[in-house]
């Protein structure tokens, strides 16, 4: 894997961990319920998707495994709703971080 890919992966990992930290410190079940009551469940929390889109290279990574992980991550980020955001931060972000870290070795 080239240096550019490694840097991109580290940036994605950093962004995921910072997003997780923000979500876990600002969201809870009551907050999610309040958002749904006030806005409905149409909010797809696209800011995380925008963040990831801005740092993922257009041409892709040399590693097919990394490309598949990023595609899976992007699909998942685009589809979760308000209640799934907290679960995503707790369960799925650590999964993606672990998978991406294993590719850096």
């Amino acid at each position: 894997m080239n240096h550019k890919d490694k840097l991109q992966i580290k940036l994605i990992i950093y962004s995921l961990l910072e997003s997780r930290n923000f979500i876990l410190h600002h969201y809870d079940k009551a907050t999610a319920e309040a958002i749904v009551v006030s806005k409905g469940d149409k909010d797809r929390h696209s800011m995380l998707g925008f963040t990831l889109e801005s740092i993922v290279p257009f041409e892709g990574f040399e590693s097919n495994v990394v490309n598949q992980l990023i595609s899976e991550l992007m699909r998942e980020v685009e589809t979760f709703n308000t209640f799934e955001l907290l679960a995503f931060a707790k369960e799925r972000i650590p999964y993606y971080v672990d998978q991406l870290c294993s590719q850096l070795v």
Side-chain angles (χ1 to χ4, degrees), residues 25-42:
H25 285 91
H26 291 89
Y27 277 76
D28 57 16
K29 187 177 180 194
T31 304
E33 289 170 355
I35 291 170
V36 170
V37 167
S38 69
K39 296 176 91 177
D41 207 16
K42 62 184 177 224

Side-chain angles (χ1 to χ4, degrees), residues 23-94:
I23 293 164
L24 294 179
H25 285 91
H26 291 89
Y27 277 76
D28 57 16
K29 187 177 180 194
T31 304
E33 289 170 355
I35 291 170
V36 170
V37 167
S38 69
K39 296 176 91 177
D41 207 16
K42 62 184 177 224
D43 186 3
R44 294 289 180 214
H45 302 280
S46 56
M47 189 54 71
L48 181 57
F50 290 141
T51 300
L52 292 172
E53 285 174 8
S54 69
I55 60 177
V56 173
F58 293 107
E59 67 275 1
F61 294 91
E62 286 181 357
S63 166
N64 288 332
V65 173
V66 173
N67 285 325
Q68 289 172 348
L69 275 170
I70 298 302
S71 293
E72 179 185 330
L73 171 62
M74 295 303 291
R75 274 192 307 275
E76 192 168 349
V77 166
E78 291 171 355
T79 60
F80 59 68
N81 62 33
T82 302
F83 288 112
E84 295 166 329
L85 178 63
L86 196 56
F88 178 79
K90 286 180 181 177
E91 301 163 13
R92 299 298 290 164
I93 288 178

